[in-house]
Structure formats: structure tokens, C-alpha cells
Amino acid sequence: MALDPHSNLAVFRTIGEAVALIKTHTKPYVVLVLLVTLPWAAAAALGYFDALGAYAAQAADGQGGYSLEGYPIGTLLILWTGSFFIMVVFGIFWYRYVLLGAEGALKFGLGQFNGMFWRTTGYGLLLLVICLVALAVSTVVVSLVGGVVGALLGAAAQPAVLIVIIVPLVLVAYAAPLAFMARLSLPFPAVALGEGLSFGESWSRTRGSTWRLVGAFLTASLPVALVGYGLTFGLYYVLFDINIWNPAHAAAATDYWWVTLLMSPVMYLPVALCLAIVAIAYRDLGSSPAAETAPGVHFAR
């Protein structure tokens, strides 16, 4: 699809195929998203996350500060850990639907899934650490560069000039972890297919396509994410007069967990698009097994 003599991975063609694949698998996509969201919804319905909302509301009312004292760290860690594992499960199944189609996606045994799950978890944790380190290093570097440039130009007395300097540097700071994520993403669809692919092989395969992948991720996900969050937050505000941006409303929002459950197929779209892009890259950048192409989509390989 995306490979041609002039471009290793064409951004808009790749996004187009990712969108087409979601359309092709709309029903399994919706079912999968609802299933992986159910554990979160059940925990919210049982009031497990009320402590987070109550703490935010208390701090907003001036009854406490945003300090670690009294903060429900245990609940937050469980939330993060659970969300990570849920994303692992979603990724495995979604990669299989994208690359194998509906007929082959569910053809595996319990032992195979166990291996896929823990290998994906290991790769995911390692990639998370790499991206966090890259973000920390790039943030320090651009902060130092910004400070030096700002001092030389006297930008402190000129807010407009300071903004012009800071905004590109912030983008550069976030570009580094995104680049690592793009270069090291191919083992995930490989594991979902029961195959092996190292980070080193992924780095080699994606050489020359780094910024096309990053561009595809951002172009596909950001507009959809903004629309999804806008719709969800708008529903909370219109139906229940809850402003999600207001910490004082956080406790009340958890009572309407079913809204988030119903909107989960929309909220997962940015993730599904990015994973589909990774799957397409795995299929087309180097040797990989035959995979499904969305009907009606004909891209040169």
C-alpha cells in the first residue's frame, strides 16, 4: 500500500488505509472496545475511583492542597496498571483483526494468548521506560537551549518573542519520545501474530520512515481525539451540568460512568488508528506475513 520508490511510508495513504480498516471491522472494533472498557466501568460503578474525584473536589473547594498527603496513590496506581493491561489486551486483538481479518483474529489457544500477553507487556514496559527517558532528556536539553537563546535575545522582556521560542522547543521535546515510539513499534504486531521481532530489527526496518510514522500518528489521532473529548465532555455538561475541566465536579463525574462506557468506541479511535498504522508499517516495511488489506483500498506495495 504505502511503499513506492519515492516514499517508504506515505503518510496520508497509510492513514486512509487505517481508517478503511476500522470501517471494515466496525462491529468487532466496537465489541472489543466495550469489552475492554467494562472492567473500568464496573470499578467506577462500584465507587472504587470515588476517592480520586473526592480528593480533587476537596482541593478545589480549598479544604486541602494538591499534596501527596492524603492522596489516594494506591487507587491511582491500580488505575494506571489496569489501564496498561487493558491496552495490552486491546492491542493484541486489534492487531490480529487488522492483519489477519475477522476469520483469523480469534484463532489461537489460551497458551498462545498467555505468551502474547506477557511478551507484549514486557515490550510495552520497556518502550515506556525508553520514551520517558527520551522525554526527560529532550526536555532538559530544550529547556537549556531555550534559556540560553532567550537570554541572548532578551526575550524575557518580550513575551511574544518568548512564545515564538518556547513553542517550537516544546514540540521538539515531545518529538524525541514519539520518534523512539515509531522506531520501536513493530515488535507489537509481530508478537500479536505469534512471531518474533526485536527492537533492533524494528529500528532497522523503520529507518527512513521515522518522521512519516510520527506524522501519521499525529495527523490521524489528534483531530479524532479532540472531537472525541469534545463530544464526551459536552455530553457531561449538557446532560448533567458537569464541567470536566472543573476539579470540583470530578467526584460527580464518576457517578455517570456509563457515559464514558457508551463513548468508549469514540474515545478509542485515536488509539485504534495509531495501532492500525503500526500494523500497516509492520506489513509493508520489510519482510512480514501476508496481511489483509481493507476492501476497496488498493495501494502499491
Side-chain angles (χ1 to χ4, degrees), residues 249-267:
H249 292 180
T254 57
D255 294 333
Y256 302 101
W257 52 268
W258 53 270
V259 174
T260 302
L261 178 63
L262 291 177
M263 292 299 295
S264 59
V266 177
M267 300 296 287

Side-chain angles (χ1 to χ4, degrees), residues 133-206:
V133 171
L135 178 61
V137 172
S138 62
T139 300
V140 171
V141 172
V142 299
S143 297
L144 292 174
V145 172
V148 171
V149 174
L152 292 175
L153 297 179
Q158 303 175 46
V161 176
L162 186 61
I163 292 175
V164 171
I165 295 172
I166 290 176
V167 170
L169 289 175
V170 170
L171 295 177
V172 170
Y174 281 100
L178 284 175
F180 276 99
M181 186 180 298
R183 294 295 298 269
L184 302 176
S185 61
L186 300 190
F188 296 98
V191 170
L193 296 182
E195 302 194 343
L197 187 74
S198 68
F199 276 152
E201 292 174 298
S202 177
W203 189 271
S204 177
R205 284 195 192 186
T206 54

Side-chain angles (χ1 to χ4, degrees), residues 71-292:
Y71 195 83
I73 297 177
T75 301
L76 189 62
L77 288 176
I78 292 176
L79 174 62
W80 286 345
T81 303
S83 298
F84 178 82
F85 286 140
I86 285 172
M87 195 56 62
V88 167
V89 173
F90 175 78
I92 290 171
F93 281 97
W94 186 234
Y95 280 135
R96 291 184 65 85
Y97 271 108
V98 169
L99 290 169
L100 300 177
E103 293 184 359
L106 301 180
K107 291 183 178 179
F108 58 85
L110 183 59
Q112 291 174 296
F113 177 77
N114 184 62
M116 290 186 290
F117 178 84
W118 291 113
R119 287 176 65 197
T120 301
T121 298
Y123 275 121
L125 290 174
L126 183 55
L127 181 58
L128 179 62
V129 171
I130 292 172
C131 289
L132 288 176
V133 171
L135 178 61
V137 172
S138 62
T139 300
V140 171
V141 172
V142 299
S143 297
L144 292 174
V145 172
V148 171
V149 174
L152 292 175
L153 297 179
Q158 303 175 46
V161 176
L162 186 61
I163 292 175
V164 171
I165 295 172
I166 290 176
V167 170
L169 289 175
V170 170
L171 295 177
V172 170
Y174 281 100
L178 284 175
F180 276 99
M181 186 180 298
R183 294 295 298 269
L184 302 176
S185 61
L186 300 190
F188 296 98
V191 170
L193 296 182
E195 302 194 343
L197 187 74
S198 68
F199 276 152
E201 292 174 298
S202 177
W203 189 271
S204 177
R205 284 195 192 186
T206 54
R207 183 177 293 112
S209 297
T210 305
W211 299 114
R212 293 184 182 90
L213 278 169
V214 171
F217 292 155
L218 295 177
T219 304
S221 64
L222 285 181
V224 178
L226 290 174
V227 171
Y229 278 103
L231 288 174
T232 303
F233 292 177
L235 281 176
Y236 273 110
Y237 185 77
V238 171
L239 296 178
F240 313 112
D241 197 27
I242 293 175
N243 179 7
I244 299 297
W245 296 107
N246 185 349
H249 292 180
T254 57
D255 294 333
Y256 302 101
W257 52 268
W258 53 270
V259 174
T260 302
L261 178 63
L262 291 177
M263 292 299 295
S264 59
V266 177
M267 300 296 287
Y268 265 78
L269 275 176
V271 177
L273 284 169
C274 288
L275 295 185
I277 289 168
V278 172
I280 293 168
Y282 172 71
R283 187 193 69 194
D284 289 354
L285 297 178
S287 59
S288 59
E292 181 188 56

